[in-house]
Amino acid sequence: MKDRPGCALVTGGSRGIGNAIARQLAVDGLHVVLIARDTQTLKSECESIIAHGGSASYVSVDFLSSNFLETISDHLVRNELSPNILINGLGGGFGSKSFDSVDVYSKVMHLNFLVAHELMNLVIENAKKQDWGRIIHIGTLAINHKSASAPYVAAKAALMAYMKVMAKELAKVNENFVACAVSPGAINVRGKFLNNLAKNEPEKLIEFLEQNSVAAGRLGEPEEVAKVVSFLCDRRTTYLNGCNIEVDGGASN
């Protein structure tokens, strides 16, 4: 705990990359607050983290609800938690199409971008009191590759531009406030398309990796992304304000 004081909010923390990050930060000595919708999965994951010697709690919340921030704040007050780290793992296209309605674009923008802004404001107030903080957004290679729906790519691109500006603004407030991003490539997330491909159609996975220039020749693991986030959350990791680290096996090289 001496090297890793603090508390981290992890949105999307019940599954996949977000869950791997939460588990790693718990190993690092941080209290992690897992935030997602599925109460049963959140409860199970927190119990697992605690059983392995970590410290964790959870908030079940629908980020489309008008009181999501109040729900999270109430949990923090009740449990006397003061998070100075935000891992913004919430994201997705949510079935959107490029020629969708303005309402769909607004929903995707809200979930991928605006939620991050509101949670950042909450975390920064605590970071000021603790004299250090981290805001880490999980990005996507789809911004460069144009490989997803327009609402999703537009929302994530806005988030990355926002991160760059806020990284400068926060560093001016305190050099120990680091805002940055980690952008995973082809990751082996259980239950997702690439994971199913690896298990059921390995020859098609090889084709996919070649077509997408994944030089490493394999899928990345969620834990590999989590290790990068862990490095960025170390209080001794500084001077990386505004960076976007691509964890993609060379696909963007």
Side-chain angles (χ1 to χ4, degrees):
M1 291 290 286
K2 292 182 179 179
D3 291 335
R4 294 292 184 103
C7 170
L9 300 184
V10 185
T11 65
S14 62
R15 294 183 173 91
I17 292 173
N19 182 252
I21 292 170
R23 287 177 173 275
Q24 178 60 55
L25 295 183
V27 170
D28 293 338
L30 296 168
H31 178 88
V32 291
V33 181
L34 282 65
I35 309 175
R37 288 184 299 177
D38 188 338
T39 302
Q40 190 56 47
T41 302
L42 286 167
K43 183 175 183 293
S44 175
E45 291 302 323
C46 275
E47 289 174 348
S48 177
I49 289 172
I50 293 168
H52 286 85
S55 178
S57 58
Y58 69 89
V59 184
S60 176
V61 66
D62 181 355
F63 283 107
L64 289 175
S65 67
S66 59
N67 66 338
F68 80 86
L69 196 60
E70 180 182 349
T71 301
I72 295 170
S73 297
D74 285 348
H75 173 84
L76 299 178
V77 171
R78 287 198 315 272
N79 293 278
E80 300 182 342
L81 298 171
S82 299
N84 59 325
I85 295 170
L86 169 63
I87 309 300
N88 177 41
L90 177 68
F94 307 102
S96 62
K97 305 290 190 297
S98 293
F99 290 99
D100 251 322
S101 66
V102 170
D103 287 343
V104 171
Y105 270 80
S106 296
K107 172 187 174 182
V108 176
M109 184 65 74
H110 172 78
L111 291 170
N112 286 279
F113 176 26
L114 296 177
V115 167
H117 173 68
E118 295 206 56
L119 290 177
M120 186 208 71
N121 287 333
L122 174 64
V123 167
I124 286 303
E125 288 307 307
N126 293 319
K128 288 177 180 178
K129 298 172 186 176
Q130 299 178 49
D131 197 39
W132 79 284
R134 298 289 184 269
I135 309 294
I136 302 176
H137 303 289
I138 304 303
T140 174
L141 300 186
I143 297 172
N144 296 329
H145 297 175
K146 315 300 185 293
S147 57
S149 70
Y152 175 63
V153 172
K156 282 294 192 180
L159 180 66
M160 291 300 106
Y162 165 84
M163 178 275 291
K164 292 283 188 179
V165 175
M166 291 309 300
K168 288 180 176 290
E169 296 296 331
L170 291 172
K172 291 174 185 176
V173 174
N174 188 319
E175 66 172 321
N176 297 317
F177 294 170
V178 176
C180 56
V182 175
S183 292
I187 304 299
N188 189 24
V189 177
R190 187 174 62 183
K192 296 295 186 179
F193 171 72
L194 291 176
N195 174 255
N196 291 330
L197 209 61
K199 290 190 296 184
N200 303 317
E201 300 180 272
E203 68 287 347
K204 288 189 177 181
L205 175 63
I206 293 172
E207 291 178 11
F208 172 89
L209 295 173
E210 291 176 348
Q211 290 170 359
N212 289 274
S213 302
V214 181
R218 65 172 177 86
L219 297 177
E221 296 298 328
E223 291 75 17
E224 292 178 291
V225 181
K227 286 290 187 181
V228 176
V229 173
S230 170
F231 166 72
L232 292 170
C233 286
D234 191 318
R235 186 168 182 170
R236 296 162 296 186
T237 301
T238 56
Y239 219 58
L240 287 172
N241 316 72
C243 73
N244 181 11
I245 301 177
E246 296 168 338
V247 185
D248 63 2
S252 298
N253 191 355

